[in-house]
Amino acid sequence: MSRTHTYRCLNCLDEVLTRSFDVSHLSRTCPNCDSFERFANETVIDRFESLEASPPAELDWERLQRREKLLVAERLARTEKTLADFDLGGNESEDVGDGVSATEA
């Protein structure tokens, strides 16, 4: 039996999909909120919720937009990056992909 992975709609956070493959996100129409949306891997959502509950002191977490927070959560959950790899406290930022502004060291 193969391992399954869970994905949640980023718009409503209620709809859950289960798939046999492991990717950072899926894009599809959500049957719950009817929007074409990303479904993020549950490990990313878990990391995001953990960071929201206890924002890291080394990042200006509250300054970030939701999409930027999700990018940081995705990089922490799905790569070997650590909080030390991000510099999100300054005024200058650069694009790190996917249209999200943040600075990665």
Side-chain angles (χ1 to χ4, degrees):
M1 182 175 197
S2 66
R3 176 176 158 85
T4 60
H5 302 275
T6 306
Y7 302 87
R8 284 177 42 198
C9 174
L10 289 180
N11 188 51
C12 67
L13 295 175
D14 291 329
E15 187 65 25
V16 176
L17 301 173
T18 303
R19 298 291 187 262
S20 62
F21 48 85
D22 183 19
V23 295
S24 65
H25 67 276
L26 309 169
S27 295
R28 61 169 291 166
T29 300
C30 176
N32 185 53
C33 66
D34 210 28
S35 68
F36 186 77
E37 200 57 63
R38 283 187 175 190
F39 281 69
N41 190 300
E42 190 73 23
T43 60
V44 174
I45 299 294
D46 291 345
R47 182 61 65 97
F48 172 77
E49 289 174 345
S50 172
L51 291 166
E52 282 285 282
S54 181
E58 53 268 54
L59 298 178
D60 189 3
W61 187 253
E62 295 306 316
R63 179 184 68 83
L64 300 177
Q65 295 178 9
R66 183 173 185 248
R67 187 172 169 94
E68 292 172 314
K69 291 176 180 182
L70 284 162
L71 175 67
V72 171
E74 187 270 334
R75 298 286 168 86
L76 292 174
R78 299 198 41 90
T79 70
E80 294 184 16
K81 295 204 177 288
T82 66
L83 286 173
D85 293 317
F86 296 91
D87 176 14
L88 301 172
N91 292 330
E92 293 295 319
S93 64
E94 62 186 58
D95 184 37
V96 295
D98 204 21
V100 179
S101 295
T103 302
E104 272 184 279

